[in-house]
C-alpha cells in the first residue's frame, strides 16, 4: 500500500571527499518495516517522521552547511549552551598540516564556560531539577538507587568543595580509579566544576598501569573505592591503588590524599588496608561539605580531561581534551546519532574508564538533560538475560553497546532475550569495533525486533565524539557499515602515498580539517601528537584505521592498520603486551599479533622465545600470562602463547609480523615470500609448533 511505500529521493553529490550517496532512491517495502532490499535496511516511516533528521535531504542540507560554513554551523550549536562570555572573533582556528608549522586546533577560544554547569545547573534552571539523572543498578539484582538532577548537583558540589578544600585548583589533575558507581560520574563532574583535569583510569588496569599514569600526570589526589563485586568475584581496588602509589613514590611522585569510597555492596571498610594520614573515607568527609559550590569559569580551550590510550609503542598516550569544543560536540552528536528526545531513557554499557563512558555515559547525555542508566556489574550476571531485565526494569529506550557483547549474548541463544519484553527500545547503538553483519542482524532482528535502527558509531578516544555514524531515521542502513560522516566531518580515504582516492575505494582513513571534539595534544608530548597522527599523511589527521567506501558512498571500517589490536572493543598496543612478556625473566623475546576471535573480535596471540636452556612448560605459559595480567590488566591477557625457538626476521633484524599473522590464523599456505628472512627455517619450526 502507499503507506508502506516511501521514496527516498535521489541525493546529489556530497561536498568533496565525503563520497556519494547516489542510489538512495530505493523503495521501502512490506509491513515488517525492514526489508533488506539490496542489503539496505530502511527505518520505518513512523520513525523517520518523528526523527530530528527525517530524510537524506535534511541530512544533506545540514551536512553541506556544516562543511561550507563550519563557523556558523558550530556557533549555532554552541549557542544552545551557557557561556559566561562568548568566544573571541574566531569560532575556530586550525593547522592540520605539518608542512605549515605546528599542529594546532582551537574551538571557541576566548569563550568562557563550564561543562559541569552546562550538564547540571543549566538543566535544573530550565525546570528539570526533579528529573532523574542517574538510574544506578548494582551488580546484584535488586540493589539500585537513583539521583535526580538536583540531587546529583548537590553530590557533585560536596565533592567539589572537598577537593577545593584540600587544595585542588584549576588546572590540577585528579586521578579517578573507580568502578561504575554513581561516584564515578560524580567525581568527573566535581573536577570539571572546579576546573580540575580528571584522568580516569579504567578500574581493570593493574597497579603497574595505574602507577605509570600517575607518574605521567602527577595528580594532587587519587579517588578510588575499597572494592567492587564483578559478577561473583570481589576485587580489592584499594590494594591495587596502594601498590600503584608505592610504585609512584619510588619514582618521586608522592600523593598526600587517597579519597576512598566505601563500597559496602562489595565489602565493608574493616577489610581495607589503610594508611593513616593519606587515606580518607569519602563517606566520613564529603557529606560534611555544603551542597552548593561556585563554578570555576574556564576558557573553552582549558583542559577538561586526560585519558590514556594505547599506541604502537609501549608507552600509553595521554589524550588531552579541552572544554568548549568537546562540550558542544559530545552533546550534538549524542542528540542526533541517537535521535535523543527528553522522554528517552538511555543506557550505554561502557565503563567510564574508556572514552565511550566519558562522552556517552557522562557528558553527552547529561548535557542533553537525559536520564541515564549506570550499571555496576557484568552484562551476563547472574545470567544472559540481565541486560534485558535492566531494559525492562527502567524502560530503556536507547541501548548502546559493543559488538563483543552482542556476539556473546547471541551465542547464549534467543531464549534469554525473548523472555523479556524490550518494548521500550527504539534505538540501538554499537561501538568499539566493526560489527559483523550477522551480529548486526541478530541485534536488529532479535533484540530490536526489526523496529530499532542501529547507530554503528565509528570514532576514537582522540576524536572525542562520533565521526561516522548513522542518523537513525535519515537514511537506510547497511548491516556492518557505519554509513556517513557526522556534521562537520570530512573523512577522506588515502592510498599509501597519501593521495586522496575518490568514489568506491579502500585505503587509509583520514580526516580533513578539524572538528570541535578533536583532541588537542598528547599530554606533555606535542611532538608525539604530531608524528603519530599528522605526519604519515601530511595535511590530514590519520586515524590508524583502514576503510572502504562502496558504490553508494557508505563507509565500511576494516580495523586498525597499525600495531594496535582491538580486543572486545578495548584498544591494546602489541608493544605493551610484548614489553610485559619480556619483563618475565625467562622470556627472551616476544612478538604479539591480533587474531580473529569469534566473540572478542580479536584475540591476543603471542609468540615468545625463551632464554637459552629454559624449557617451555605449562607453568611457564601460565606465568607468562600472569605477567601481562599484572602489568596491564586481565583484559590484556594473551589468548594464546606460541613457543617459538626463533622469530622470523629480516636480515636487518626486523620481525616480519605479516608472516606471524598468517601463522597465528593458521593460513600456512599463504605465508608468502619468506626468502628475505635471515633464517627461513624458523617458519617451518613455527608452523610445526603451532598447536603445542
Ligand atoms: O579501530 C577503530 C575501533 O576502535 C578504535 C578506537 O578505539 P578507542 O580509542 O579505544 O575508542 C573506542 C570507542 C570509540 C578505532 O580506531 N572502532 C571504534 N568504533 C568502531 C570501530 N571500528 C569499527 N566500527 C566502529 N563503530
Amino acid at each position: 500500500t502507499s503507506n508502506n511505500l516511501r521514496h527516498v529521493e535521489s541525493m546529489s553529490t556530497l561536498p568533496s571527499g565525503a563520497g556519494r550517496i547516489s542510489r538512495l532512491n530505493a523503495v521501502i517495502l512490506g509491513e515488517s518495516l525492514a526489508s533488506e532490499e539490496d542489503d539496505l535496511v530502511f527505518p520505518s516511516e513512523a520513525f523517520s517522521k518523528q526523527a530530528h533528521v527525517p530524510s537524506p535531504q535534511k541530512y544533506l542540507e545540514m551536512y553541506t552547511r556544516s562543511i561550507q560554513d563550519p563557523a556558523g554551523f558550530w556557533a549555532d550549536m554552541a549557542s544552545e549552551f551557557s557561556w559566561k562570555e562568548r568566544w573571541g572573533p574566531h569560532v575556530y582556528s586550525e593547522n592540520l598540516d605539518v608542512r605549515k608549522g605546528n599542529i594546532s586546533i582551537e574551538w571557541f577560544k576566548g569563550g568562557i564556560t563550564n561543562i559541569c554547569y552546562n550538564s547540571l545547573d543549566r538543566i535544573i534552571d530550565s525546570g528539570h531539577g526533579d528529573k532523574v539523572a542517574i538510574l544506578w543498578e548494582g551488580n546484584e539484582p535488586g540493589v539500585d538507587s537513583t539521583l535526580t538532577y538536583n540531587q546529583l548537583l548537590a553530590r557533585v558540589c560536596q565533592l567539589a568543595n572537598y577537593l577545593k578544600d584540600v587544595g585542588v585548583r584549576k588546572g590540577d589533575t585528579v586521578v579517578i580509579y573507580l568502578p561504575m558507581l554513581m561516584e564515578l560520574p560524580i567525581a568527573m563532574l566535581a573536577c570539571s566544576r572546579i576546573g580540575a583535569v580528571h584522568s580516569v583510569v579504567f578500574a581493570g588496569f593493574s597497579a603497574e598501569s595505574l602507577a605509570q599514569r600517575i607518574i605521567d600526570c602527577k595528580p594532587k589526589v587519587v579517588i578510588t573505592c575499597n572494592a567492587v563485586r564483578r559478577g561473583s568475584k570481589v576485587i580489592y581496588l584499594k590494594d591495587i591503588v596502594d601498590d600503584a602509589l608505592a610504585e609512584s613514590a619510588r619514582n618521586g611522585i608522592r600523593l598526600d590524599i587517597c579519597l576512598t569510597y566505601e563500597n559496602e555492596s562489595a565489602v565493608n571498610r574493616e577489610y581495607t588496608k589503610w594508611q593513616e594520614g593519606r587515606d580518607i573515607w569519602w563517606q566520613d568527609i564529603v557529606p560534611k561539605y555544603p551542597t552548593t559550590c561556585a563554578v570555576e569559569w574556564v576558557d573553552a580551550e582549558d583542559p577538561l580531561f586526560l585519558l590514556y590510550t594505547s599506541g604502537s609503542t609501549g608507552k600509553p598516550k595521554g589524550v588531552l581534551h579541552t572544554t568548549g569544543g568537546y562540550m558542544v560536540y559530545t552533546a550534538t552528536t549524542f542528540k542526533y546519532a541517537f535521535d535523543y528526545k527528553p522522554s528517552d531513557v538511555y543506557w550505554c554499557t561502557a565503563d567510564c574508564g574508556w572514552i565511550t563512558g566519558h562522552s556517552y555515559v557522562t557528558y553527552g547525555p547529561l548535557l542533553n538533560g537525559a536520564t541515564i542508566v549506570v550499571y555496576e556489574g557484568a552484562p551476563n550476571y547472574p545470567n544472559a538475560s540481565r541486560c534485558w531485565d535492566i531494559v525492562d526494569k527502567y524502560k530503556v529506550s536507547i541501548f548502546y553497546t559493543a559488538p563483543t557483547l552482542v556476539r556473546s549474548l547471541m551465542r547464549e541463544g534467543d531464549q534469554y532475550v525473548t523472555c523479556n519484553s524490550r518494548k521500550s527500545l527504539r534505538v540501538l547503538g554499537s561501538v568499539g569495533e566493526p560489527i559483523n553483519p550477522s551480529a548486526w542482524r541478530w541485534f536488529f532482528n532479535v533484540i530490536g525486533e526489526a523496529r530499532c535502527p542501529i547507530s554503528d558509531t565509528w570514532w576514537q578516544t582522540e576524536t572525542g565524539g562520533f565521526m561516522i555514524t548513522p542518523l537513525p531515521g535519515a537514511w537506510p542502513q547497511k548491516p556492518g557499515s557505519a554509513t556517513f560522516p557526522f556534521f562537520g566531518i570530512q573523512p577522506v580515504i588515502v592510498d599509501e602515498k597519501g593521495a586522496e582516492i575518490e568514489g568506491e575505494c579502500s585505503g587509509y582513513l583520514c580526516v580533513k580539517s578539524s572538528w570541535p571534539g578533536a583532541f588537542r595534544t598528547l599530554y606533555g608530548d606535542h611532538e608525539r601528537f604530531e608524528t603519530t597522527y599528522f605526519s604519515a599523511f601530511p595535511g590530514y589527521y590519520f586515524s590508524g584505521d583502514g576503510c572502504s567506501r562502496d558504490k553508494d558512498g557508505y563507509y565500511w571500517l576494516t580495523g586498525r592498520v597499525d600495531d594496535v589490536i582491538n580486543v572486545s572493543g578495548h584498544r591494546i598496543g602489541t608493544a605493551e603486551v610484548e614489553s610485559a612478556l619480556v619483563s618475565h625473566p625467562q622470556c627472551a623475546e616476544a612478538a604479539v599479533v591480533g587474531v580473529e576471535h569469534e566473540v572478542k573480535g580479536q584475540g591476543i596471540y603471542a609468540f615468545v622465545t625463551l632464554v637459552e636452556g629454559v624449557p617451555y612448560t605449562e607453568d611457564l605459559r601460565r606465568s607468562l600470562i600472569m605477567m601481562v595480567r599484572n602489568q596491564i590488566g586481565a583484559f590484556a591477557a594473551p589468548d594464546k602463547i606460541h613457543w617459538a625457538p626463533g622469530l622470523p626476521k629480516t636480515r636487518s633484524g626486523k620481525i616480519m609480523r605479516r608472516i606471524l599473522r598468517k601463522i597465528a590464523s593458521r593460513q600456512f599456505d599463504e605465508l608468502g615470500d619468506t626468502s628475505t628472512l635471515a633464517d627461513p627455517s624458523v617458519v617451518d619450526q613455527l608452523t610445526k609448533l603451532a598447536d603445542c
Side-chain angles (χ1 to χ4, degrees):
T1 67
S2 61
N3 267 352
N4 290 332
L5 282 175
R6 185 163 57 100
H7 291 277
V8 182
E9 279 160 33
S10 172
M11 295 174 78
S12 53
T13 308
L14 289 174
S16 141
R20 286 169 67 87
I21 309 173
S22 55
R23 293 197 319 138
L24 291 186
N25 52 346
V27 179
I28 184 166
L29 293 166
E31 304 261 52
S32 77
L33 305 175
S35 70
E36 292 183 13
E37 187 76 358
D38 194 17
D39 256 16
L40 291 174
V41 179
F42 288 82
S44 72
E45 190 173 2
F47 190 101
S48 289
K49 242 188 187 156
Q50 60 80 59
H52 292 307
V53 183
S55 64
Q57 292 79 354
K58 180 68 186 169
Y59 163 71
L60 199 61
E61 188 190 302
M62 292 178 76
Y63 182 77
T64 305
R65 175 169 182 235
S66 75
I67 300 302
Q68 288 173 350
D69 175 24
F73 181 89
W74 288 111
D76 283 355
M77 296 293 161
S79 52
E80 304 268 312
F81 299 94
S82 291
W83 297 84
K84 189 130 178 69
E85 273 171 46
R86 208 179 147 84
W87 46 90
H90 304 294
V91 172
Y92 74 103
S93 72
E94 66 180 19
N95 173 38
L96 300 194
D97 193 335
V98 275
R99 296 164 301 194
K100 296 185 183 150
N102 291 347
I103 302 297
S104 68
I105 300 169
E106 284 182 345
W107 282 82
F108 310 113
K109 176 82 184 157
I112 304 295
T113 188
N114 181 288
I115 196 169
C116 173
Y117 180 86
N118 274 288
S119 304
L120 304 178
D121 311 58
R122 186 179 58 96
I123 306 298
I124 293 166
D125 292 348
S126 64
H128 303 291
D130 291 326
K131 183 173 178 181
V132 173
I134 300 181
L135 293 161
W136 181 78
E137 171 83 1
N139 180 62
E140 297 304 317
V143 176
D144 54 29
S145 60
T146 64
L147 286 181
T148 63
Y149 272 86
N150 281 326
Q151 292 166 329
L152 176 58
L153 176 62
R155 300 277 296 273
V156 166
C157 286
Q158 287 180 318
L159 181 61
N161 283 320
Y162 165 77
L163 291 173
K164 278 208 298 202
D165 203 23
V166 297
V168 178
R169 298 281 170 266
K170 181 181 165 194
D172 288 341
T173 304
V174 172
V175 162
I176 304 172
Y177 186 74
L178 281 170
M180 288 297 275
L181 303 171
M182 293 206 252
E183 283 64 26
L184 177 44
I186 288 172
M188 293 163 72
L189 289 159
C191 290
S192 55
R193 189 166 195 87
I194 62 172
V197 180
H198 57 73
S199 177
V200 181
V201 179
F202 171 58
F205 274 110
S206 67
E208 298 230 6
S209 293
L210 176 59
Q212 194 177 24
R213 286 154 176 76
I214 290 172
I215 293 162
D216 195 67
C217 74
K218 305 174 188 61
K220 274 255 168 85
V221 173
V222 171
I223 304 178
T224 188
C225 74
N226 55 342
V228 62
R229 208 176 270 277
R230 207 167 281 145
S232 49
K233 275 194 294 204
V234 175
I235 300 151
Y236 291 86
L237 293 182
K238 173 64 165 49
D239 289 353
I240 297 173
V241 175
D242 285 349
D243 289 348
L245 290 178
E247 171 71 13
S248 312
R250 283 194 288 276
N251 285 274
I253 307 297
R254 237 169 273 278
L255 262 81
D256 296 332
I257 298 169
C258 176
L259 182 68
T260 308
Y261 185 81
E262 180 184 11
N263 185 14
E264 278 171 295
S265 65
V267 294
N268 52 33
R269 62 171 72 181
E270 68 226 50
Y271 299 101
T272 307
K273 287 190 213 112
W274 209 243
Q275 185 171 317
E276 281 307 330
R278 185 196 69 186
D279 301 344
I280 296 142
W281 288 111
W282 174 312
Q283 282 93 331
D284 289 357
I285 185 112
V286 176
K288 294 185 179 144
Y289 282 84
T291 53
T292 58
C293 171
V295 167
E296 179 80 41
W297 297 102
V298 301
D299 190 281
E301 281 301 336
D302 279 336
L304 173 62
F305 68 85
L306 284 179
L307 184 59
Y308 287 85
T309 189
S310 295
S312 43
T313 69
K315 190 172 177 270
K317 305 181 280 198
V319 168
L320 183 112
H321 283 283
T322 56
T323 305
Y326 178 84
M327 171 173 86
V328 173
Y329 197 70
T330 52
T332 309
T333 45
F334 175 80
K335 173 177 164 185
Y336 287 100
F338 293 131
D339 189 46
Y340 170 75
K341 306 284 161 50
S343 55
D344 280 312
V345 174
Y346 167 80
W347 181 21
C348 166
T349 63
D351 191 291
C352 288
W354 309 106
I355 190 67
T356 309
H358 282 64
S359 303
Y360 301 108
V361 172
T362 309
Y363 291 115
L366 295 177
L367 285 162
N368 280 278
T371 296
I372 63 172
V373 173
V374 173
Y375 174 46
E376 181 191 24
N380 55 358
Y381 178 80
N383 61 48
S385 283
R386 185 66 187 277
C387 287
W388 323 120
D389 293 342
I390 296 173
V391 164
D392 285 355
K393 175 172 173 183
Y394 298 112
K395 304 275 176 292
V396 171
S397 58
I398 306 174
F399 177 72
Y400 185 37
T401 194
T404 183
L405 179 70
V406 174
R407 286 191 298 263
S408 76
L409 296 178
M410 184 172 149
R411 278 226 304 211
E412 300 287 334
D414 296 5
Q415 69 274 20
Y416 287 102
V417 182
T418 49
C419 58
N420 289 82
S421 149
R422 291 162 287 106
K423 282 284 171 281
S424 54
L425 289 174
R426 65 178 203 97
V427 177
L428 301 173
S430 172
V431 62
E433 50 166 319
I435 179 162
N436 47 310
S438 67
W440 194 101
R441 288 206 166 83
W442 187 81
F443 199 23
F444 184 76
N445 290 318
V446 179
I447 305 300
E449 296 178 316
R451 179 182 71 240
C452 313
I454 298 176
S455 287
D456 173 6
T457 60
W458 175 78
W459 60 297
Q460 309 176 294
T461 305
E462 293 86 342
T463 70
F466 305 151
M467 300 293 280
I468 301 182
T469 175
L471 299 183
W475 56 69
Q477 302 191 292
K478 294 191 183 189
S481 164
T483 74
F484 300 107
F486 191 73
F487 305 132
I489 302 303
Q490 298 187 66
V492 292
I493 298 181
V494 303
D495 63 18
E496 300 86 79
K497 298 197 183 75
E500 217 172 301
I501 343 177
E502 298 282 342
E504 197 180 343
C505 63
S506 303
Y508 302 97
L509 181 61
C510 292
V511 185
K512 184 154 72 176
S513 85
S514 77
W515 61 98
F519 66 145
R520 304 301 198 245
T521 190
L522 293 178
Y523 181 69
D525 203 347
H526 198 70
E527 201 181 317
R528 188 177 179 196
F529 168 75
E530 295 183 336
T531 49
T532 311
Y533 302 100
F534 298 93
S535 297
F537 304 113
Y540 305 114
Y541 163 73
F542 173 46
S543 66
D545 278 340
C547 182
S548 62
R549 189 167 45 216
D550 71 16
K551 59 188 185 311
D552 301 324
Y554 284 69
Y555 286 84
W556 299 78
L557 277 300
T558 53
R560 303 286 308 190
V561 293
D562 53 7
D563 293 325
V564 169
I565 45 189
N566 192 324
V567 181
S568 302
H570 298 154
R571 200 165 137 178
I572 298 169
T574 53
E576 283 174 79
V577 182
E578 287 162 4
S579 112
L581 287 167
V582 296
S583 65
H584 190 290
Q586 292 174 316
C587 178
E589 207 175 6
V592 168
V593 297
V595 62
E596 213 174 289
H597 188 287
E598 211 186 318
V599 174
K600 300 195 224 175
Q602 281 190 302
I604 302 180
Y605 195 113
F607 293 88
V608 295
T609 62
L610 302 177
V611 168
E612 194 67 42
V614 172
Y616 182 63
T617 61
E618 176 57 20
D619 281 350
L620 180 55
R621 188 187 70 84
R622 284 205 204 131
S623 79
L624 285 166
I625 292 177
M626 197 44 82
M627 205 72 201
V628 181
R629 295 175 76 101
N630 292 340
Q631 290 216 356
I632 305 176
F635 65 92
D639 296 273
K640 166 87 185 169
I641 302 277
H642 186 142
W643 171 51
L647 291 171
K649 289 184 185 167
T650 59
R651 287 186 198 99
S652 59
K654 197 170 170 286
I655 295 176
M656 297 214 27
R657 284 166 196 278
R658 172 179 62 77
I659 295 177
L660 293 178
R661 277 189 211 105
K662 294 290 179 196
I663 295 173
S665 56
R666 304 290 183 265
Q667 292 168 298
F668 298 141
D669 46 355
E670 292 173 31
L671 297 175
D673 182 14
T674 55
S675 63
T676 54
L677 291 176
D679 175 8
S681 75
V682 298
V683 174
D684 272 351
Q685 276 178 338
L686 281 179
T687 53
K688 285 201 191 94
L689 289 167
D691 291 304
C692 292

